[in-house]
Amino acid sequence: MRTPANPPRRRLPSWATRWGSLLIPLVLAVADALLVNGVTFDLELNVSLVAAAALLLRRRFPALVFLTTLPGILIGYIWFAPMIALYTVARRRPDRRLLGVLALLLAAAHFIPWPVSDFEPTAYRDNTLVLIDACVTSVGPIALGLLVRTRSELAARIDDLTRSRRHADELIAEQVLSTERARLAREMHDVVAHQVSLISLQAGAVQISAEDAKAREGARTIRELSVRTLDELRHMVGILRAAGGDLEDLTPQPRLADLPRLIELSALDVAYEADPAGESDDEEGRTAEAVERAAFRIVQESLTNVRKHAPGARVTVRVRDLEESRELRVEVRNGPPDASAASPGLPGGGHGLVGLRERAQLLGGTLKAEPTDDGGFVVRADFPKCPPRAGCS
């Protein structure tokens, strides 16, 4: 089994990184104090241990902690504690004047011996070497601290640029999607609207010229359905062109009150049972408009499926208000198809129930579609009457 060329790095937990960065410098400073001054608690060791312990507060009081560590390098000859403290100051407070003063103090504490009476001005070679060592000791932590700070700022800047680039890509994708929506809207208008308009005109001609009353009624129904289809098409085209705008005022949306007319125009044997509580004027008992629209679409799609797959079947449409759970239940149940009824041969994409289930889930509801024992089919959807997405309280 081949391993990837660049395996992902394992990162330590955040708590381990936090505590490690706090305690490791303390351990190094304590070890430095013990190695230089031994284990006998005298002035040198005590001052060095105090300087090491002060590192625990270096993030909160960086400059004060650095001043606390200066006696450690002056008296105890330790290096780690003052250098770590100066690095922290450079990392957290990159003020040039402050860093210059602290660097001079560290160099002076390193250069001047303890006790001061041991200083020999005539030892030029030794004093020069100690001065160079003191300068490196004071400049090194500052340079490292500024480097780490600059690296962190660059990483943050790169993250900002990455987020800005991602946002720009999203805007470009939305613009492309908006253009594609507009193109689809034009296609739908040019193709579908033209054909439906011809159907409406032909139905109107048949309605005027037909002598049979039943034929005129059928032509009137076809014409009305064509008009409704054009209204629905106009609404969908408006959605595609709006591309996320305010869609509430495009066209009136179907509600539960429109179900009787939908059933009447379906040309199916439908028994409709409605609970009047769903149309309550009470604010708490009222059903959100988005839920009513979704319920209407479920009944519409279910009746279309009955017409396609179960011609001649008896259909029952029930709309119930479940007061205890404050939900609206929509159920469309059909029996087995009539063997003597002719199949309409309508095309289908197989996505109707999938779209209804997604519509229900977006509103916090559920939808079940399954065959029944008598050879029929049932579609049942439960919606909260006032879901959060509907914008009601």
Side-chain angles (χ1 to χ4, degrees):
M1 182 177 179
R2 299 181 61 183
T3 57
N6 296 319
R9 297 181 179 178
R10 295 183 179 179
R11 295 185 178 181
L12 293 175
S14 58
W15 63 269
T17 304
R18 183 172 60 254
W19 283 101
S21 62
L22 182 65
L23 296 179
I24 290 177
L26 173 63
V27 173
L28 292 176
V30 171
D32 183 26
L34 295 176
L35 290 174
V36 173
N37 300 288
V39 295
T40 302
F41 288 96
D42 51 11
L43 176 62
E44 289 79 4
L45 180 60
N46 292 336
V47 171
S48 301
L49 292 178
V50 170
L55 294 179
L56 293 175
L57 302 176
R58 70 185 188 279
R59 294 177 179 175
R60 186 180 295 270
F61 309 105
L64 181 60
V65 169
F66 171 76
L67 296 177
T68 306
T69 62
L70 285 180
I73 192 172
L74 176 64
I75 300 175
Y77 299 102
I78 59 173
W79 288 6
F80 281 177
M83 292 178 68
I84 293 173
L86 186 57
Y87 162 81
T88 305
V89 175
R91 173 80 184 276
R92 294 184 171 268
R93 296 184 181 177
D95 182 79
R96 294 182 178 180
R97 295 180 180 178
L98 176 63
L99 292 177
V101 172
L102 297 184
L104 290 176
L105 291 177
L106 180 58
H110 190 175
F111 178 75
I112 299 174
W114 180 264
V116 181
S117 58
D118 294 342
F119 180 70
E120 297 182 3
T122 58
Y124 300 112
R125 182 175 181 276
D126 292 340
N127 290 339
T128 302
L129 292 176
V130 174
L131 180 61
I132 294 174
D133 191 14
C135 292
V136 173
T137 303
S138 59
V139 173
I142 294 177
L144 182 60
L146 293 177
L147 177 63
V148 173
R149 179 181 178 87
T150 303
R151 184 178 181 275
S152 301
E153 292 176 349
L154 287 177
R157 179 59 177 167
I158 290 174
D159 289 340
D160 292 339
L161 291 176
T162 302
R163 285 193 294 268
S164 300
R165 179 64 180 271
R166 188 181 301 114
H167 181 63
D169 292 341
E170 292 175 355
L171 292 178
I172 293 175
E174 290 179 1
Q175 184 177 3
V176 172
L177 181 59
S178 176
T179 304
E180 185 65 16
R181 282 175 171 172
R183 188 186 67 81
L184 289 175
R186 290 192 298 269
E187 293 291 333
M188 290 178 62
H189 183 272
D190 294 342
V191 177
V192 182
H194 175 69
Q195 301 294 336
V196 175
S197 299
L198 290 179
I199 294 174
S200 178
L201 291 175
Q202 294 292 335
V206 173
Q207 183 180 359
I208 295 174
S209 61
E211 298 180 357
D212 184 46
K214 189 173 183 179
R216 288 197 301 270
E217 180 63 22
R220 186 188 65 81
T221 302
I222 294 174
R223 180 177 174 81
E224 184 174 346
L225 288 173
S226 300
V227 173
R228 290 172 62 92
T229 302
L230 285 175
D231 288 338
E232 293 287 342
L233 178 62
R234 232 177 270 118
H235 175 250
M236 288 187 292
V237 169
I239 291 177
L240 291 174
R241 287 178 173 171
D246 187 7
L247 308 176
E248 296 297 328
D249 298 330
L250 291 176
T251 57
Q253 295 296 294
R255 306 286 292 268
L256 290 177
D258 299 317
L259 282 179
R261 185 57 180 165
L262 173 67
I263 293 173
E264 179 184 352
L265 296 174
S266 66
L268 296 174
D269 185 5
V270 182
Y272 178 50
E273 302 175 7
D275 189 343
E279 302 175 0
S280 172
D281 292 334
D282 185 12
E283 192 67 30
E284 294 187 358
R286 185 178 302 169
T287 304
E289 181 179 351
V291 173
E292 292 196 19
R293 184 163 60 248
F296 180 92
R297 296 304 184 193
I298 286 176
V299 175
Q300 185 181 47
E301 179 65 24
S302 299
L303 294 181
T304 301
N305 289 338
V306 171
R307 193 178 297 108
K308 291 179 182 178
H309 308 295
R314 295 179 59 85
V315 185
T316 302
V317 177
R318 295 188 180 94
V319 179
R320 296 182 56 194
D321 187 356
L322 306 179
E323 296 182 359
E324 295 182 358
S325 58
R326 297 192 63 186
E327 291 183 340
L328 182 73
R329 171 169 293 179
V330 181
E331 181 181 287
V332 181
R333 180 185 298 268
N334 65 272
D338 187 355
S340 62
S343 176
L346 296 174
H351 306 293
L353 291 178
V354 175
L356 294 182
R357 186 172 287 108
E358 292 175 352
R359 184 189 291 267
Q361 291 174 352
L362 286 174
L363 294 174
T366 59
L367 184 139
K368 294 182 179 180
E370 56 190 5
T372 58
D373 296 335
D374 61 354
F377 203 82
V378 60
V379 177
R380 183 184 300 109
D382 292 332
F383 297 97
K385 296 180 63 177
C386 188
R389 294 182 64 90
C392 57
S393 57

